[in-house]
């Protein structure tokens, strides 16, 4: 089994000329249309950056047809390659893609201020207790948030899943496995059902 994880700082796409070049190079047509549908340039860059990462990693894996579909709940998958799975995420200026030969979920978030009201709607009581007892509540909150998001993405259940039904605290989480990384103020969680060591690398669009 394997997991490969790649991130991209989409600030590179602030150049209008480079943005147009990158968009024209995107073979994932549905993604290209989604990029164009966004109103704000920040969202366009993040959407495009994630699409470019998927394309780069699939090409590296020997996939060239880009026949990407979505489940009813919005999880993307390859229609012609059932043995290759991927998950994408983006936040701030960072786009992320994880590629694996097993079901995988990925999430990246910039460190977020601990929100007690939101936590009560998303986390279990022991998760909230873990955050409250952490020396840096903001980092603890962000870590658990990315774990929840990557877990939901791995399952492909979207908003239909009550995330308070499972605890993902680092000390007692045994139901699933995580690979985690920090990039400056950003935290990354990669979720799989079985323990697999992930590789993380940085990518940049070839100008």
């Amino acid at each position: 089994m394997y997991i490969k994880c790649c991130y991209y700082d989409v600030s590179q796409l602030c150049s209008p000329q480079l943005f147009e070049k990158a968009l024209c190079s995107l073979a994932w047509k549905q993604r290209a249309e989604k990029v164009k549908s966004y109103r704000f340039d920040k969202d366009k860059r993040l959407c495009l950056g994630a699409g470019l990462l998927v394309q780069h990693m699939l090409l590296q894996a020997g996939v060239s047809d880009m026949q990407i579909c979505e489940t009813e709940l919005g999880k993307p998958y390859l229609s012609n390659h059932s043995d290759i799975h991927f998950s994408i995420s983006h936040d701030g200026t960072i786009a992320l893609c994880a590629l694996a030969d097993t079901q995988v979920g990925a999430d990246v978030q910039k460190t977020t201020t601990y929100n007690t009201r939101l936590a009560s709607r998303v986390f279990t009581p022991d998760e909230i207790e873990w955050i409250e007892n952490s020396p840096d509540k903001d980092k603890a909150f962000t870590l658990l948030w990315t774990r929840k998001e990557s877990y939901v993405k791995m399952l492909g259940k979207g908003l239909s899943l009550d995330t308070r039904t499972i605890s993902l605290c680092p000390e007692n989480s045994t139901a699933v496995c995580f690979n985690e990384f920090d990039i400056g103020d950003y935290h990354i969680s990669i979720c799989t059902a079985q323990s697999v060591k992930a590789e993380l690398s940085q990518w940049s669009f070839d100008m």
Side-chain angles (χ1 to χ4, degrees):
M1 298 176 65
Y2 72 86
I3 308 174
K4 295 181 179 180
C5 183
C6 195
Y7 71 94
Y8 173 41
D9 187 342
V10 303
S11 300
Q12 183 190 32
L13 298 175
C14 287
S15 163
Q17 294 81 7
L18 188 60
F19 181 92
E20 288 303 320
K21 180 181 178 181
L23 184 58
C24 290
S25 73
L26 188 62
W28 184 1
K29 298 308 178 186
Q30 300 98 317
R31 192 75 180 183
E33 291 303 315
K34 188 173 183 179
V35 171
K36 296 174 185 177
S37 72
Y38 282 110
R39 178 180 178 183
F40 299 109
D41 289 342
K42 174 187 175 181
D43 299 322
K44 290 177 184 287
R45 289 192 293 268
L46 285 170
C47 185
L48 176 56
L52 292 170
L53 269 179
V54 170
Q55 180 168 289
H56 163 72
M57 297 185 76
L58 290 179
L59 287 172
Q60 290 290 309
V63 178
S64 58
D65 51 22
M66 296 296 164
Q67 296 299 311
I68 300 174
C69 302
E70 289 188 357
T71 66
E72 291 183 359
L73 295 175
K75 183 177 182 178
Y77 67 94
L78 292 168
S79 59
N80 296 335
H81 300 271
S82 59
D83 59 329
I84 298 178
H85 307 269
F86 69 91
S87 181
I88 56 179
S89 178
H90 47 69
D91 187 48
T93 64
I94 299 297
L96 173 74
C97 177
L99 185 77
D101 59 356
T102 184
Q103 292 291 347
V104 63
D107 192 63
V108 58
Q109 294 288 334
K110 194 170 185 178
T111 301
T112 305
T113 302
Y114 177 36
N115 184 320
T116 56
R117 180 177 296 182
L118 179 59
S120 67
R121 299 201 302 267
V122 176
F123 299 140
T124 63
D126 66 314
E127 287 174 328
I128 294 174
E129 182 180 2
W130 182 79
I131 295 173
E132 294 285 354
N133 292 331
S134 297
D136 190 327
K137 294 182 177 62
D138 295 345
K139 286 188 175 180
F141 175 73
T142 304
L143 181 147
L144 277 182
W145 185 270
T146 61
R147 283 190 164 211
K148 290 287 185 178
E149 287 279 359
S150 63
Y151 172 68
V152 169
K153 288 181 178 180
M154 181 195 69
L155 296 179
K157 293 189 175 182
L159 297 177
S160 66
L161 178 70
D162 184 351
T163 57
R164 293 170 297 182
T165 59
I166 183 172
S167 174
L168 299 177
C169 285
E171 284 88 351
N172 58 14
S173 176
T174 58
V176 290
C177 301
F178 293 96
N179 280 269
E180 295 180 289
F181 307 93
D182 288 306
I183 306 170
D185 292 335
Y186 294 86
H187 186 76
I188 291 172
S189 289
I190 310 296
C191 181
T192 50
Q194 297 173 286
S195 179
V196 190
K197 184 174 177 57
E199 301 174 11
L200 178 67
S201 60
Q202 184 175 10
W203 179 80
S204 182
F205 181 70
D206 185 5
M207 293 183 283

